[in-house]
């Protein structure tokens, strides 16, 4: 997760921490006498005994939010070196605190004001992102749940406004990443019931920079736990329903953006995170097939020819996982090789599984009912799409348990409104394709007429030259 949420590496001088507390620490200066203040603090630090220096040094390391692995080499420094680092740390705390925003509450109160201009919001949220990144862990924790809600409210406001808010949207997501750079922040983010859904609304390929940050955040959250994986899937699903499109479509569209290599890489990372984080094999197959259906299958060959090393790495991970799941899947059928994308192969395997078993009559009944779907080019796909969705929800139930087969209650679904909606979508799609075809036909006719005119002109020229 360090690669997703990790703070940029900094020297002690640039750590941006707000100093340490204690009886020997002087208050933050309110005048221009920074040099005198630093010299006074240097004298205090120089007079400290070894035990006090070590105590203050540990406080500084704690505020820098470092891992134990990174702290250990610093602890091995000599006493004089530690004192120098403490002085530099204190100097940094003075130099960075020269704005109207000091405490977390200052940011929260300012952003909560109504009718702020776009520039004022942007300047504040950018300053907040820097503060969240550079300040000690205690400052970020003080920002807390109230601050998180304010950042999410600001991000939500971006969706209600025009493109001028795009840069604010970008900084808001970066603020959320900074908040999640510690265990407490991650817990607060996951505890907020709308946080990931709000972030998922930034999955918009027309805003590649914003989408890239949102994809990074969601991909990292996927890897935290089974529960966080479910929350990401729910967020992506709700975003798809809200915008009336397939939930994974914008992620695949991001992969098609040849002008933004970073977006393509993180989109493939997110796809790998979503699929590989599912524990159940059937659910992984379902997710992978869903992503393939919305366009990934059409661009896989193009991606494999891409020269990007990062893209090739994550594409290899995708293919490796796909092959591993396939090998595990075919073991159910005594290692009979089959092509999952082939209708005949799948049908033969299912037929052989149920033949001469108590399941055979029900399988036959399903096939017989499928024959009753009326022969209509628009209605038939709508029915099959609805049936596929029902089967997916029954067979791939997220509880990991089989349905309650003893229940007498049957499905009571009025499918006609659903069919009507699906048919209407299919009709609209057909009309759109027809318009595109007509446009291409008109262009082809115009090109042909132009070519014929040029040919006639050339023939006339030849005749003139022959007669001359």
């Amino acid at each position: 997760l360090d690669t997703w949420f990790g703070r940029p590496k900094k020297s002690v001088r640039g750590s941006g921490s707000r100093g340490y507390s204690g009886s020997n620490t002087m208050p933050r200066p309110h005048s221009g006498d920074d040099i005198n203040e630093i010299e006074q603090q240097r004298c205090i630090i120089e007079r400290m005994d070894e035990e006090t220096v070590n105590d203050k040094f540990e406080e500084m390391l704690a505020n820098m939010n470092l891992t134990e692995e990174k702290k250990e080499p610093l602890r091995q420094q000599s006493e004089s070196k530690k004192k120098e680092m403490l002085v530099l740390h204190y100097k940094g705390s003075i130099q960075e605190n020269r704005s109207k925003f000091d405490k977390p509450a200052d940011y929260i109160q300012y952003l909560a004001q109504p009718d702020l201009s776009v520039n004022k919001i942007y300047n504040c949220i950018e300053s907040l992102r820097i503060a969240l990144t550079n300040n000690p862990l205690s400052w970020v924790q003080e920002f807390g749940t109230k601050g998180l809600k304010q950042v999410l409210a600001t991000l939500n406001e971006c969706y209600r406004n025009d493109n001028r808010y795009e840069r604010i949207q970008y900084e808001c997501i970066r603020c959320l990443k900074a908040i999640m750079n510690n265990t407490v922040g991650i817990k607060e983010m996951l505890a907020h019931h709308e946080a990931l859904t709000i972030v998922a609304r930034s999955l918009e390929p027309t805003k590649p920079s914003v989408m890239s940050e949102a994809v990074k955040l969601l991909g990292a959250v996927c890897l935290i736990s089974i529960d966080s994986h479910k929350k990401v899937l729910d967020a992506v699903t709700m975003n798809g329903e809200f915008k009336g499109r397939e939930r994974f479509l914008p992620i695949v569209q991001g992969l098609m953006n040849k002008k933004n290599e970073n977006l393509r890489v993180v989109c493939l990372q997110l796809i790998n995170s979503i699929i590989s984080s599912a524990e159940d094999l059937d659910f992984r197959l379902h997710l992978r097939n869903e992503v393939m259906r919305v366009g990934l299958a059409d661009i896989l060959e193009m991606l494999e020819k891409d020269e990007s090393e990062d893209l090739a790495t994550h594409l290899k991970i995708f293919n490796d996982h796909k092959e591993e799941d396939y090998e595990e899947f075919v073991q159910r059928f005594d290692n009979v090789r089959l092509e999952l994308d082939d209708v005949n192969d799948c049908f033969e395997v299912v037929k052989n599984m149920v033949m001469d078993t108590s399941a055979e009559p029900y399988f036959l009944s399903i096939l017989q009912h499928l024959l009753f779907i009326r022969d209509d080019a628009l209605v038939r796909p709508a029915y099959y799409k609805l049936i596929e969705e029902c089967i997916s929800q029954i067979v791939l139930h997220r509880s990991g348990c089989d349905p309650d087969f003893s229940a007498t209650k049957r499905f009571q679904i009025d499918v006609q409104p659903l069919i009507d909606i699906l048919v209407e979508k299919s009709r609209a799609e057909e009309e759109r394709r027809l318009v595109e075809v007509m446009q291409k036909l008109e262009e082809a006719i115009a090109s042909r007429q132009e070519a014929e005119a040029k040919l006639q002109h050339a023939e006339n020229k030849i005749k003139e030259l022959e007669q001359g």
Side-chain angles (χ1 to χ4, degrees), residues 117-291:
S117 68
V118 174
N119 284 336
K120 286 183 177 179
I121 298 174
Y122 173 73
N123 290 334
C124 179
I125 206 75
E126 184 186 37
S127 174
L128 173 60
R129 188 259 303 166
I130 295 171
L132 287 167
T133 304
N134 292 339
N135 274 312
L137 185 59
S138 56
W139 196 97
V140 180
Q141 291 176 343
E142 186 182 342
F143 191 68
T145 304
K146 193 173 181 180
L148 172 63
K149 289 180 178 178
Q150 186 56 58
V151 173
L152 290 170
T154 305
L155 177 58
N156 222 1
E157 194 63 31
C158 295
Y159 302 131
R160 304 188 185 99
N161 289 281
D162 53 35
N163 288 333
R164 293 178 303 153
Y165 281 75
E166 183 175 336
R167 55 182 181 157
I168 298 174
Q169 187 179 349
Y170 175 76
E171 289 295 341
C172 282
I173 298 174
R174 295 182 74 189
C175 283
L176 295 175
K177 287 174 63 181
I179 290 171
M180 295 180 69
N181 190 31
N182 60 84
T183 306
V184 176
I186 291 174
K187 288 181 179 178
E188 287 181 349
M189 188 75 172
L190 293 178
H192 194 289
H193 65 286
E194 290 183 341
L196 294 176
T197 304
I198 294 172
V199 173
R201 291 184 65 185
S202 290
L203 296 178
E204 188 53 63
T206 57
K207 300 177 179 178
S209 297
V210 172
M211 180 173 171
S212 180
E213 294 299 317
V215 167
K216 289 177 186 176
L217 190 151
L218 294 173
V221 174
C222 259
L223 302 172
I224 295 172
S225 67
I226 297 173
D227 182 60
S228 67
H229 175 253
K230 180 181 181 300
K231 288 179 183 292
V232 170
L233 273 180
D234 289 342
V236 173
T237 302
M238 289 183 68
N239 178 57
E241 291 173 352
F242 178 78
K243 296 185 178 179
R245 63 189 181 190
E246 298 289 347
R247 58 178 177 174
F248 295 137
L249 181 60
I251 304 173
V252 175
Q253 288 176 336
L255 267 172
M256 299 177 184
N257 189 341
K258 295 182 179 180
K259 296 181 180 179
N260 194 312
E261 192 65 37
N262 180 60
L263 177 61
R264 299 175 79 196
V265 171
V266 295
C267 281
L268 192 51
Q269 275 185 295
L270 177 58
I271 289 172
N272 285 336
S273 298
I274 288 175
I275 296 173
S276 63
S277 296
E279 288 192 325
D280 184 67
L281 171 64
D282 291 326
F283 196 31
R284 290 200 301 275
L285 292 173
H286 170 70
L287 291 171
R288 186 178 291 108
N289 286 331
E290 186 178 346
V291 175

Side-chain angles (χ1 to χ4, degrees), residues 255 261 264-265 268 303 306 308-315:
L255 267 172
E261 192 65 37
R264 299 175 79 196
V265 171
L268 192 51
L303 294 177
D306 196 280
S308 168
E309 291 184 7
D310 289 337
L311 197 63
T313 299
H314 293 291
L315 188 60

Side-chain angles (χ1 to χ4, degrees), residues 347-364:
F347 176 77
E348 286 298 326
V349 170
V350 175
K351 185 184 75 170
N352 292 332
M353 286 172 63
V354 300
M355 284 291 286
D356 301 324
T357 70
S358 58
E360 183 180 350
Y362 301 108
F363 178 63
L364 177 60

Side-chain angles (χ1 to χ4, degrees), residues 377-379 381-382 421-431:
L378 293 175
V379 171
I421 292 172
L422 292 170
V423 168
E424 190 60 35
K425 286 184 177 179
S426 297
R427 185 174 288 114
E429 183 65 20
E430 284 296 322
E431 290 175 357

